[in-house]
Amino acid sequence: VDIDVTMVNSTTTTLPPRSPRPTGGQPKQKGRMNALKIVGGKVRSASPFRKKYISSAEKARVPQAQVLAAEDDARVEISQNCNRDEFEEGRDMYDPEAGEIHTLNSLTRSLSLESDTETEDEESILSGKEDEASLNSHEVPPQEAMPQPEGKVFTKSVVLSTLNTGEGAGDSLVLRAQHRYMKPEKESHAFINVRASSVSPFDVVKCRGVGVTRDMLPYTPGQVVVGTIEALGSEVKLPFKIGDRVVGFVGQGGNARFVSAEADYFIKASPNIKNSVAACLVEDWMTAYRALRIAKNVFQGAALFGMNVFITDGFSSIGQAAIHLADLEGANIYCCAKKSHHSYIQTLSSRMHVFEPHIESWMPDVMEKMDIVIDNTCLDGYASSWQALNDKGILVCLATANMGYSISGCGVIDMDGMLRKFSQMKAKYTMSQTVFLDIREDLTHNRTEFTRDLMYLMFLVEQGMIHPKVGEKVALDDVGNAQKLLANGKNNGTIVCLPWKKC
């Protein structure tokens, strides 16, 4: 946990010993004094480990200061006599500046399926200079503050520290603070000040060591970013300029405050939508929209009104996006979800039919009846989804990631990953009435269409016709917990990382 603390000149006031507790309570240690430190007009305990209770009599002795009394939970106390941050993991921390209580695992909040409200703390986006000054004042005395290196910017990022594949999702992630040059790493790159980035299932798989080698360490997750251009390489051919707001895929490195990536993977973003909403559109909503658009092309661009659309995972972020888009055109929607999610899924459309995710529970009702099937699970190599098609139907297979632990051969070969790759190759080249869609490859090969469709989705957001759901907004130090939430399937909406959100 990276804690930003601004040190100021302080004075110490010694108060008389407190009276013993009433009968039945534990008396204070005899002769012990309560030392209070007045910092910025606020009175704090000078104890480096835990704050002490302050009586009303003691409060009266310092009427001009605000007294912060400790509750029974762990707090963070940092003073000039203490060189480490004391806290208990999983307990609450009080932020006097924000006037509210935060938890180390803030993802346990706002998990109600019925709650789709979101607020974006744009004012919590701090400047790099302020954050750097706070770090310098914590590590060294104010008179010896660390100078800003010329041509560099202070940044934080989430990195994978080890390739221990036996650990759970997010367990090997650490927070790194460093200075880096404010310029693109390659002449074809754009240097981006990241305002929002994604936490996706592909990040969960990568951070378990699948597809990551030791040469790639330290590896930073985050495939989608929203931000502004700070610098451009000399070989960038797209009509970008410094200060443009862009969205796009970076492959890796998005969960950081700054990133350098290929400029060809960025698209200008509308200035009228939030950063978190733009991050939802690029990956989840664009995948759902492109899948439905590809299917509509098979029917010569006809509207989905009256068509039967089947989605194998309706509760996922992509599934919910596909449900909203299909409902706008009047389609009859069929989907699978856990029984505990049925009541919520039913509220998304008046033409909704929800089944258990087991094949035997939905196959009798949809077999050979569906016009469009979107398979975003790949449970059995797309075989059961293909059987749900009618004579003129179309199956759209999406690139998926297995966030659970897969069966491995001799502890070396990822059998589940190999089977998924084989199924994807089969869907691409051998299956009839089938199209395979990887949204990252789609941007590379169909940039013009991708840009047009993304601008259309932004238009729908501005008009209030669609409302991308942000399940959680997390700071950099909570990305590991966000991956755990995602791996357990408990996220109701897209999880977005706000790198400049105060940790």
Side-chain angles (χ1 to χ4, degrees):
V1 178
D2 188 281
I3 305 174
D4 300 329
V5 179
T6 302
M7 302 298 298
V8 298
N9 294 330
S10 62
T11 60
T12 302
T13 302
T14 302
L15 299 179
R18 292 176 53 185
S19 57
R21 294 175 180 264
T23 305
Q26 185 69 22
K28 284 184 61 64
Q29 185 176 356
K30 184 177 180 180
R32 185 168 182 175
M33 308 292 286
N34 278 333
L36 302 180
K37 185 179 65 173
I38 302 177
V39 180
K42 299 178 181 179
V43 176
R44 301 189 179 204
S45 171
S47 169
F49 300 106
R50 294 183 67 88
K51 292 185 176 181
K52 306 302 175 184
Y53 287 93
I54 303 173
S55 65
S56 57
E58 294 165 349
K59 295 178 185 180
R61 288 178 169 80
V62 283
Q64 76 282 3
Q66 177 184 357
V67 179
L68 302 178
E71 299 296 338
D72 197 23
D73 54 353
R75 303 289 174 84
V76 175
E77 175 61 29
I78 300 177
S79 67
Q80 292 179 347
N81 298 325
C82 178
N83 295 324
R84 57 176 178 169
D85 308 331
E86 296 293 340
F87 62 93
E88 294 179 16
E89 187 173 0
R91 304 295 299 274
D92 291 342
M93 293 190 298
Y94 180 77
D95 185 357
E97 301 297 332
E100 59 185 5
I101 290 179
H102 303 282
T103 59
L104 294 180
N105 184 1
S106 61
L107 299 178
T108 56
R109 305 190 305 266
S110 306
L111 293 183
S112 174
L113 300 182
E114 293 78 18
S115 175
D116 57 355
T117 60
E118 74 165 278
T119 58
E120 182 156 0
D121 188 8
E122 296 290 352
E123 296 181 358
S124 68
I125 299 177
L126 306 177
S127 67
K129 294 183 179 179
E130 288 180 348
D131 200 21
E132 180 188 1
S134 63
L135 180 67
N136 294 338
S137 62
H138 172 56
E139 292 182 346
V140 297
Q143 63 272 18
E144 301 178 8
M146 183 187 303
Q148 170 78 18
E150 184 177 357
K152 291 188 177 182
V153 63
F154 178 77
T155 181
K156 293 181 181 179
S157 59
V158 178
V159 298
L160 182 65
S161 60
T162 179
L163 292 181
N164 187 359
T165 56
E167 297 183 0
D171 288 340
S172 298
L173 294 178
V174 296
L175 190 61
R176 181 177 65 174
Q178 63 176 155
H179 288 91
R180 64 175 297 175
Y181 286 102
M182 195 173 176
K183 64 179 183 180
E185 296 177 357
K186 297 181 180 180
E187 295 302 326
S188 59
H189 280 201
F191 189 76
I192 307 297
N193 184 338
V194 181
R195 294 300 182 179
S197 57
S198 65
V199 181
S200 69
F202 294 96
D203 294 326
V204 176
V205 174
K206 290 282 188 179
C207 289
R208 282 179 173 164
V210 179
V212 178
T213 62
R214 294 190 181 277
D215 296 338
M216 300 172 63
L217 297 179
Y219 174 86
T220 299
Q223 302 196 46
V224 174
V225 300
V226 181
T228 56
I229 297 178
E230 298 290 343
L232 288 170
S234 59
E235 298 179 3
V236 176
K237 300 179 181 179
L238 295 175
F240 290 143
K241 63 179 182 297
I242 306 300
D244 282 348
R245 186 167 181 251
V246 294
V247 297
F249 288 98
V250 296
Q252 67 181 69
N255 296 151
R257 292 185 173 179
F258 295 93
V259 65
S260 177
E262 290 288 341
D264 292 342
Y265 295 115
F266 289 103
I267 299 172
K268 288 186 179 180
S270 169
N272 301 321
I273 61 176
K274 295 181 178 180
N275 295 323
S276 58
V277 174
C280 297
L281 292 179
V282 175
E283 188 165 21
D284 296 335
W285 281 75
M286 273 300 295
T287 300
Y289 183 79
R290 292 290 296 167
L292 291 173
R293 185 174 181 83
I294 290 173
K296 290 172 62 176
N297 290 339
V298 176
F299 297 97
Q300 286 77 42
L304 300 180
F305 182 80
M307 291 188 180
N308 296 327
V309 178
F310 179 61
I311 305 165
T312 58
D313 185 2
F315 186 71
S316 65
S317 301
I318 296 176
Q320 292 190 43
I323 290 173
H324 283 292
L325 294 171
D327 183 63
L328 284 177
E329 298 195 22
N332 301 316
I333 305 171
Y334 301 78
C335 72
C336 299
K338 294 181 180 179
K339 190 172 183 179
S340 58
H341 300 156
H342 284 195
S343 59
Y344 169 74
I345 295 293
Q346 290 285 358
T347 63
L348 301 181
S349 174
S350 59
R351 298 174 297 276
M352 176 66 63
H353 308 272
V354 190
F355 306 98
E356 291 281 339
H358 310 293
I359 297 177
E360 57 273 11
S361 64
W362 54 264
M363 180 60 76
D365 295 315
V366 304
M367 186 173 183
E368 298 181 354
K369 298 179 182 178
M370 298 295 107
D371 298 295
I372 300 173
V373 176
I374 299 177
D375 192 325
N376 56 341
T377 55
C378 188
L379 292 178
D380 57 352
Y382 309 118
S384 58
S385 299
W386 190 85
Q387 295 178 14
L389 295 174
N390 57 27
D391 294 339
K392 298 181 179 180
I394 179 70
L395 168 63
V396 182
C397 303
L398 305 182
T400 59
N402 178 30
M403 293 184 292
Y405 290 103
S406 60
I407 302 175
S408 58
C410 302
V412 177
I413 303 175
D414 183 9
M415 299 299 295
D416 184 84
M418 293 184 62
L419 290 175
R420 285 175 180 269
K421 290 181 179 180
F422 175 77
S423 299
Q424 293 173 5
M425 296 294 292
K426 181 177 65 174
K428 285 182 179 180
Y429 302 111
T430 64
M431 295 178 64
S432 62
Q433 299 177 258
T434 305
V435 177
F436 180 79
L437 174 64
D438 187 333
I439 196 65
R440 297 152 194 81
E441 295 180 359
D442 191 42
L443 172 60
T444 304
H445 302 304
N446 304 293
R447 179 182 175 85
T448 302
E449 293 184 7
F450 189 98
T451 303
R452 178 194 60 197
D453 292 342
L454 180 59
M455 297 302 294
Y456 177 67
L457 288 180
M458 291 181 181
F459 171 78
L460 294 181
V461 173
E462 294 174 352
Q463 297 299 314
M465 300 181 66
I466 61 175
H467 305 277
K469 186 168 185 179
V470 180
E472 288 288 341
K473 298 175 186 178
V474 300
L476 288 174
D477 64 337
D478 254 341
V479 170
N481 291 326
Q483 290 190 6
K484 292 180 181 179
L485 190 74
L486 193 63
N488 293 328
K490 295 182 179 180
N491 61 301
N492 185 14
T494 305
I495 299 180
V496 178
C497 172
L498 302 179
W500 292 94
K501 184 177 180 180
K502 191 172 182 180
C503 296

